[in-house]
Amino acid sequence: EARRFIAEKFAAQGDFNILPKDVFEKMLDKVMELDEAFMTETGVNDGAVYDDDQAFEYMMKRLQEAFPEQKMYAMRFVDDYMEYDEAYLESVRLIDWE
């Protein structure tokens, strides 16, 4: 459900429609995998606070390594992903700002 929501946000925005569909799909899968890995490694899944800046750096570096031909898009891709993921979490009331 989250992946579909995020993919639709990317499509509506349109900036990454220049990428071949299979590349976009693989990048989206990878960034979601990296986000989960970051949360596991930093203890977020066990109650630690999610550090946006640290997560961004973690995901951007690894996305650039995984997709060297799209390296120039990584910063914006991760930034947009984080925005859309947050919107999804808010839409299903899974995020708490307190």
Side-chain angles (χ1 to χ4, degrees), residues 23-62:
V23 172
F24 170 80
E25 296 291 335
K26 289 175 185 174
M27 287 180 71
L28 181 55
D29 289 342
K30 185 65 174 180
V31 78
M32 292 183 80
E33 173 189 310
L34 291 169
D35 196 18
E36 185 60 37
F38 172 79
M39 289 188 289
T40 299
E41 290 176 26
T42 59
V44 172
N45 292 334
D46 297 321
V49 174
Y50 186 90
D51 184 311
D52 287 344
D53 294 333
Q54 193 178 21
F56 177 83
E57 292 299 323
Y58 179 96
M59 288 186 280
M60 187 183 69
K61 178 179 186 265
R62 286 160 181 82

Side-chain angles (χ1 to χ4, degrees), residues 2-3 5-7 9-10 28 31-32 35-36 39 50 52 59 78-92 94-95:
R3 188 187 188 289
F5 180 95
I6 293 166
K9 291 287 191 182
F10 269 111
L28 181 55
V31 78
M32 292 183 80
D35 196 18
E36 185 60 37
M39 289 188 289
Y50 186 90
D52 287 344
M59 288 186 280
V78 171
D79 189 50
D80 288 351
Y81 162 77
M82 291 178 76
E83 178 183 332
Y84 304 150
D85 185 51
E86 184 177 300
Y88 170 75
L89 293 172
E90 287 177 348
S91 76
V92 294
L94 289 175
I95 204 166

